[in-house]
Amino acid sequence: MSSLFKKSRHPYVSFFYFAVIVCLCFAVKNPVFIASSFFCAFLMNVFLKNYRGIKNIALLMPFFILLSCLNPLVSRWGTTVIFYLFGDESKPFTLEAVCYGLNTAFMLLTVVLWFLAFSAVVTSDRLTFIFGKVFPAVSLMLVMILRMIPFYRRRLHDIT
């Protein structure tokens, strides 16, 4: 399955697919859609054998928790008050704000999973093919930057 999706798809089709799915994840705030998109992104990473990317999700869990807890601190929307911050009635900590924070954090986690799958499918030579005719300088710079990331990662490993 992984070689089928990586090799037999035209770069425009792969790029368009990931662009549409990421835009939908940002546009649709429905928790059912986001959960199903997360499940599909997770399965796609498993089929692509992108286990290193899936392990990175564990590193994003503190960010997920932080974003979920920060949203009620800045958002005062909601009617179900859990408690008041510092005993001040003008600063309610509401259940709706917590749920919206969880939904937003889950959406960002889903988008990160889709980008991990995107990086496994659309390689630097495919990006060069997609953007080479329209933006040749940007395409060349992007390929050079993407080439340097694994190079410096290996150098860091050698140095340590």
Side-chain angles (χ1 to χ4, degrees):
M1 176 74 178
S2 66
S3 64
L4 175 72
F5 194 76
K6 284 183 181 179
K7 294 179 183 173
S8 67
R9 302 287 185 248
H10 195 274
Y12 286 134
V13 174
S14 298
F15 183 79
F16 182 72
Y17 171 77
F18 284 110
V20 166
I21 204 72
V22 167
C23 288
L24 279 175
C25 285
F26 277 127
V28 178
K29 302 290 187 206
N30 188 350
V32 176
F33 176 79
I34 292 174
S36 62
S37 179
F38 177 82
F39 181 70
C40 291
F42 185 80
L43 281 180
M44 184 165 201
N45 278 302
V46 169
F47 285 142
L48 292 171
K49 295 180 176 77
N50 192 9
Y51 301 117
R52 185 172 43 114
I54 294 172
K55 288 179 188 175
N56 289 340
I57 295 299
L59 297 173
L60 291 173
M61 283 302 155
F63 174 72
F64 177 79
I65 293 168
L66 178 72
L67 187 62
S68 299
C69 293
L70 271 175
N71 187 55
L73 297 177
V74 296
S75 174
R76 304 286 178 243
W77 297 101
T79 56
T80 311
V81 177
I82 300 173
F83 61 88
Y84 294 101
L85 293 173
F86 311 115
D88 188 7
E89 296 221 6
S90 66
K91 300 177 184 175
F93 195 89
T94 61
L95 179 64
E96 289 84 357
V98 171
C99 291
Y100 189 76
L102 284 169
N103 193 28
T104 303
F106 201 54
M107 176 197 57
L108 289 175
L109 196 64
T110 303
V111 169
V112 167
L113 264 178
W114 279 119
F115 274 118
L116 288 171
F118 174 79
S119 68
V121 172
V122 181
T123 57
S124 62
D125 57 333
R126 287 178 176 223
L127 279 176
T128 305
F129 178 77
I130 293 170
F131 294 114
K133 294 176 184 166
V134 180
F135 305 111
V138 174
S139 175
L140 180 64
M141 188 172 56
L142 185 65
V143 168
M144 290 171 60
I145 290 170
L146 289 175
R147 182 197 162 278
M148 295 305 262
I149 293 171
F151 174 73
Y152 281 123
R153 202 176 269 172
R154 283 191 303 268
R155 281 288 283 208
L156 178 68
H157 180 65
D158 292 343
I159 291 171
T160 55

